[in-house]
Every structure is written in structure tokens, then in C-alpha cells.
Amino acid sequence: MIWNISKECMTPEEKRHLQGERLRKLVERVYHSVPFYRQKMQEMDIMPRDIRTIDDIVKLPFTTKQDLRDNYPYGLFAVPLSEIVRLHASSGTTGKPTTVGYTRYDLSVWSEMTARCLTAYGADRNDIFSVGYGYGLFTGGLGMHYGVEHLGATVIPMSSGNTSKHIQLVHDFGATALACTPSYALYIAETLEKTGIPRDEFKLRIGIFGAEPWTENMRKEIEAKLGIDAYNIYGLSEVMGPGVSYECQYKDGSHIGEDHFYPEIISPDTLEQLPYGQEGELVFTTLTKEGMPLLRYRTKDLCALDPTPCPCGRTSVRMSRIMGRSDDMLIIRGVNVFPSQVESVILEMEEFEPHYLLIVDRVNNLDNLEVQVEVKDGFYSDEINKMIELKKKIAGRLHSVLGLHADIKLVEPYTIERSQGKAQRVIDKRKLN
Ligand code: ADP
Ligand code: ZN
């Protein structure tokens, strides 16, 4: 099923036309109502009349997270505060928080986009969703919540935390769908095993996971443990929240809601637009946003775009999985390392639990990577030789994937702290010096 055929299945001409129209209006709007953009455009000698088609987007300035911080809290709003009906803010883990504001129209677009996602996952009004994303300033909880209601399905607003209660209600209320971060899904699966409630007493069939990078292997693991069909959902608060892109039943990239969010891939070094298929930094222009529209927002997320038509019938461009954020990328002894690469290796090996931690340090001026990973119950042994063999095995695989030696620390099951929101998988002690 497709929620909005007229928007999700446009011909290339229809799409270009709609995007061009919307971009023109957007640029008019921000030029006249956001001093930050007017000034930037004046500096670049660009006037709204210079933007005629969607291809002219390359003439426009970029926006960065720093710009949001510099204009904290309301500086980038394009409407008076009386028009804003909701505020969210980013976690601010990497500095001052950033604010986003939504008008009534923005919220209606958000609900529609999330309903499109849920429909693509095969859900309908008969489903019961347990939303385990955090409710609050984080966009995950409320974003999914209103999407479920818009779809006409039933929502259980669980939020994150209190995992045993969550499992109890999923069981008692007969929830058919679970939405949360992939790392929390694993934690729920683990806790569920411990409750001893037989799996066939649960009605769960769909999982909606996002808000942090995860791998194909992680998907298999979650699907097997929870007995569900797991789908990816992507989004970021600056652009909207969850629902910017979503997988369909083919799970071959995530369809972008291109009638509202225009995607580009750029080289983070030259800032030039890259052709389809090439990996680079994802950039979004919010074509219809009223509250806080953004021109060419640099997400720092690294991925590639695929414009080929999908067998599901949707014609929207699909984005690959996020490899990592350009600011999550570790440079260890000059080698680029993404936590997702380590995750793939760990999950390919039957001896390990999908829980790991990377600790980077600088010893005698040399970077050192330690990978802590949990050994599965049946594979943990008191025999030192066995453990040494296992260490060698994973170190060898990691070396061939990363091109780098890592110290391995094997730990017992359940020793690495579990996450109920976005998992913290890297401790970079070098930054503390
Ligand atoms: P913050 O983490 O700054 O508080 P957000 O909650 O808006 O803000 O986080 C958005 C970021 O989360 C994205 O830019 C991306 O890096 C990551 N993210 C969201 N969904 C996914 C996904 N499905 N796969 C990978 N990364 C994701
Ligand atoms: Zn598709």
C-alpha cells in the first residue's frame, strides 16, 4: 500500500516542476523573513529571482549546525512566534542545544510523512504501535506518535525506560509494531528472553528502527530475536524529525519524501554536488517548511542516493544506509574508522553478542583502538587458550576490514551498558587531553 500515490509516485517531470515551484517560493520567503538568509544571499550576490528551477539550488548558501547555534534560540524562524505551536531541541551532546519550531502546517506535514512511512512498512489502522522512542524534546517520540494517530492505528505512548513494564504492555495490549532505536530494540529482546514469556504470546510483527546508524547484520539479529520484520526510518530534528525517509518492502534504500525535502550529496571537502551513486554528505532543503525552513542544511550524514525506480512503485530517490556521520568518523593512526564497520564484523561472528564499545586513546603519542565485545554465553570459557584463539580470530577479521590493529577485550555477557535511546559506542579519550 502507498499512503499518498500522487506525491510518492510522481513522474520525473512532475517532481522537477513541483520542486522548482516550491524552491522558488521558499527562497522568496526566507529572503524576506529571515535576516540570516537575506544577508548570506546578499553576500553571494544572489536574488530570489535568480532561482528559477530546482537546478538553481546550487547557487544557494549552505546552512550548518553552527549557524543554528549562532542563531539560538529563534533567529532562524521565518514566522512570528505566535504562529509556532511546537518547539523541539536537539540533545546538545556536541555543544549548545539547537531549537526547531513548527507551525500547525509543519506538524500536519510531519504526521503525513510518518503515516507514509508506516504504510510502506505494511502497517494500517488495525495495528497497535508501542512507541519506545523518548518523548520530550527529542523528536522521536512525539514524531512517531502523531504519525500513528494520523494513520488511524493505535498508539501506546511508552517512551523509553522501564523496559519490563514496556514488555508487559506490549504483551497485554497485543502490540503488533514496535518503534524505537535499534539498540533499544536489542535490549528489549534481551529483557524479553529473561521474562520467560513464550514468544508466541506476543503479536509483534513490525519493527520501526532509526535515530542512529545500524547495519544489515543488526537488522537480522533483531528480526531473529523478536520474530519481526524490521524497517529503517531516518530523520533529523533540523529538517523535521523521524520520517524524512523510510524503507519499503524491498528494503533497498530509504525513500525520501522529496516533495518536502530536497536531497543533495556533496563532497564535504569541496562542497561540490556529487553525482547520484557517489557517497558523500547528505544535504537537505526543506521545500515547504514554514516555522524554520532551511536552505541546503548539511546533515554530516554520509550516504549515497539512488534515483532508479523501485519495484514498489514509489519514484522517490532512495538514500543508502548512513555509513556514519562525518563527525563520528574516527581517525586512528591516519586510518578512517566508522563504528558501523566494527559492528558488521562483530555481528557476522556467531561467538559474539551485538554489544560493543570502542575506546580510543593515545599512548606514547600513538593512537590505540580497543574494542570491547561481549562473548555469547555458550562461547565464554575459562580456558585461556580458547579465549586467546577467539581474540585472534576477531582481531584478524577487524584488521582485514579496517586495515588497522585493534586490541580486543572479551567481556562476559551483559557487562556492556545497555542503551534505551541512542547508543554510545565510542569513548574517545584523546579528546579529553
Ligand atoms: P541529535 O542527535 O543531534 O539530538 P536528532 O535526534 O535529530 O538530533 O538526530 C538526527 C541524526 O540521527 C541524523 O542526522 C543521523 O545522524 C542519525 N539518524 C537518524 N535516523 C537514522 C537512521 N535511520 N540511520 C542512521 N542514522 C540515523
Ligand atoms: Zn520502494
Side-chain angles (χ1 to χ4, degrees), residues 113-124:
M113 298 313 287
T114 329
R116 285 188 199 177
C117 306
L118 303 177
T119 308
Y121 308 147
D124 62 30

Side-chain angles (χ1 to χ4, degrees), residues 248 250 255 310 312 314 318:
C248 62
Y250 293 96
H255 288 280
C310 180
C312 74
R314 292 176 184 80
R318 281 167 290 159

Side-chain angles (χ1 to χ4, degrees), residues 74 81 159 357 416:
Y74 300 143
L81 271 178
S159 196
L357 190 61
I416 291 173

Side-chain angles (χ1 to χ4, degrees), residues 1-20:
M1 284 288 287
I2 296 178
W3 180 260
N4 187 336
I5 291 184
S6 74
K7 290 297 185 298
E8 293 178 85
C9 308
M10 287 183 284
T11 64
E13 299 72 40
E14 281 172 340
K15 203 188 326 181
R16 265 183 70 79
H17 180 75
L18 182 76
Q19 290 173 330

